[in-house]
Amino acid sequence: MLFRKALGTRPSAPETTAKPRPIHQKAARKPDLPVEASSPWEKDLRHCFASPSLILSYISKLIISSNEGSLSSEAPPLARLPPTVFSELLRSLDPIAALSKVDPIGDIRVSGGMAQFLVLGEYLDHWGIRKLYVLVFKRLLLAARLRIHLGPGLRYSDWKILLRCAGAASDPMGAKGVWHMMLKVGQQGLRNGELFEEFVKARFLTERLYRQNDMARFRVRPVDLNRQKLLLPRENADRLRWLNRNKLKADWHYFGQNRAAGDTSEHMMRIMRKMTPIVRLATVAERNPRFTPSEGLASALMIAYSRTGSLRMLEERVLEPHWGITVDRRAPSQVTVKSDNDGHRKPLSPLRLPTGNSIEAIVDVYCSNAEVVTALMVADLISSKYGVPIPHRTWFNLLEWAYILSTNPASTEWKYAGWPAKIIRPSTVQLIWNTMTSERYNIQPGYRQHFVLIKSLIPTGKSSTTVFKKALRRTLDLLPLYHELLVELENTFKKHTLIQLMNIEPTGAKERQKYLRLRAKKEEMWYFFMTTFRALLKSYHSYDLSDQITTRRIPNLIRDYRGFMPNTVKYYVATGTVEIANIHPVIRTRFKRWTATRPRFVTGDLAPVNKKYVFEPGKMARWIEPQPIWKWKGHTRRVDVEQFVRDKAVPADDLWAELT
């Protein structure tokens, strides 16, 4: 009734004067008033708020009907929609407040291997971005442009939701386009500090959701700082280029790359490393009186500055002037953190007292620049000086950053760059673990943090008997959690199936969402077990013919935990290598069918891969694109797909059958 009244589709009855009647007289029946037949899009409005999928489909219907009725005399449905109703539709698709609660993946970080072998890959596109947020941003941006074109325009909350959708879709250029769209339509007067904060977060992807929960994509690499913050010798720069080139050639996906780069392979950090955009925005924030400074804006600017390899924004403008903390870098291989007795130097500043969000931003700034120990010292000093507890999420981020920076890709890059102070050892993970689980902080880690610790214990080379037994014992201690999750998943599936058969819509949607979340969590935990067992078997070497681990312990481990083993089990013995074809009774892994794609160019300090440079007299030099490569189960076959389709004249669905 509220929407019908707002839309004005039902005419109001004329005012009449009722005559008094005796009490014993019955009330006469009122004649039926003629009611207009409501349009289909108006009927769907009453039921679309049940789920985000219905809202998205309803907006799509509005776009289609508005395009079809743009030439008619009456106003299109999207233009007749009241501003409050349109804003409510957009708020129901808010990535932070609404969609994050119905996202089947949740806060799981989906790597390339998980996307290839698990069902979690169905929710991601080729760039490692969740399809849900990409689709929502495209639909809402199209609806917003069409509504602006039709006349009603947008409100303040609508622009805010569009910026958040651009950030959730990991589209910095899309956020920039939304920000400039306000200027084109003459609504730049709506810009304030809160909206500017949302723009900075979406433009530089400072939120964890905007980074797809993958912190490894946004670590500062020395090859990105070359000729930007430092000048590497030619030999070191060439070695770093070869490292990145080999990684790009080995990857089948485009995770962490810029989708707007076209045929070129451009990492997102090569966009974030540029100093000019962030300096321009920071200057605008200082000079514009409408942009009221806030803690969220300061944290976003700090993280954006850290992507360029600069720590001055944090140390000279936040730590020292506001909280009296000095970071001394005069020693070449050691950083000293000091604290003054006087704090609160700027009592009117929004950063007069640190909070949990400020500490989390500080940890992100230092860890992205491979300074985990400095981040731990600064966070511990702020917590003890101001009595602010370090959030659990910050400890978990610190632990994950320590593991990411201790792996071979990160440590080897800083080694080739000639910066040994930024090389993180695997023992740093154990140091952070002991600190956060001590009596002072008493943090209870989850299963993800346990697996991070286990992976840090397993060396890349040969492991000793003590390390093998310690890592295996910690891994087996987590099996009860997996079995409890299986029981909960089974009960949820039964309840979800029963409610679905009974056709109970509101309860059925909640149970389905719970079932999808538990299934994703189960897939993630199973993948952790599989990769851990594979790394354990690969790391242990023994040249003793009577070694108990290789002759008894490992065969028993494969027999007892066959469901967690990879398809090909491989381990080393004194006389050679043992390989076992592990055929699962239930197929848990599957290869995704890859489409025929063209390898992308690489830009910047990386040389093009598998390209021919051609120069013709009188014409511009150009790159010749290679033929598409068809990939299936690890095998490659070069074929000209377009020519094949033209010659054979087969439909697209039968293309794979013909090729194989």
Side-chain angles (χ1 to χ4, degrees), residues 566-581:
N567 293 333
T568 302
V569 183
K570 181 179 179 180
Y571 67 97
Y572 301 97
V573 294
T575 57
T577 306
V578 178
E579 290 188 3
I580 303 174

Side-chain angles (χ1 to χ4, degrees), residues 256-295:
Q257 298 185 19
N258 182 18
R259 67 162 62 244
D263 292 335
T264 58
S265 177
E266 183 181 26
H267 201 275
M268 290 295 296
M269 282 301 294
R270 298 195 66 82
I271 303 175
M272 304 299 173
R273 70 166 187 162
K274 299 178 182 179
M275 197 73 178
T276 305
I278 180 59
V279 171
R280 185 189 302 117
L281 289 180
T283 306
V284 170
E286 292 178 358
R287 296 180 179 179
N288 197 327
R290 291 183 300 174
F291 296 162
T292 306
S294 61
E295 180 192 7

Side-chain angles (χ1 to χ4, degrees), residues 295 322-323 343-359 382 385-388:
E295 180 192 7
H322 290 85
W323 303 328
H344 314 291
R345 299 184 179 183
K346 296 184 178 181
L348 299 180
S349 172
L351 296 176
R352 59 185 181 275
L353 285 177
T355 61
N357 295 332
S358 304
I359 297 177
I382 293 176
K385 182 177 181 179
Y386 292 95
V388 180

Side-chain angles (χ1 to χ4, degrees), residues 593-597 628-630 637 639-660:
R593 180 175 295 182
W594 298 352
T595 57
T597 58
I629 296 180
W630 193 276
R637 179 182 177 185
V639 58
D640 191 349
V641 178
E642 298 177 358
Q643 186 67 30
F644 183 85
V645 174
R646 287 195 298 268
D647 296 342
K648 297 291 184 179
V650 295
D653 297 338
D654 300 333
L655 177 60
W656 173 248
E658 291 288 340
L659 288 175
T660 54

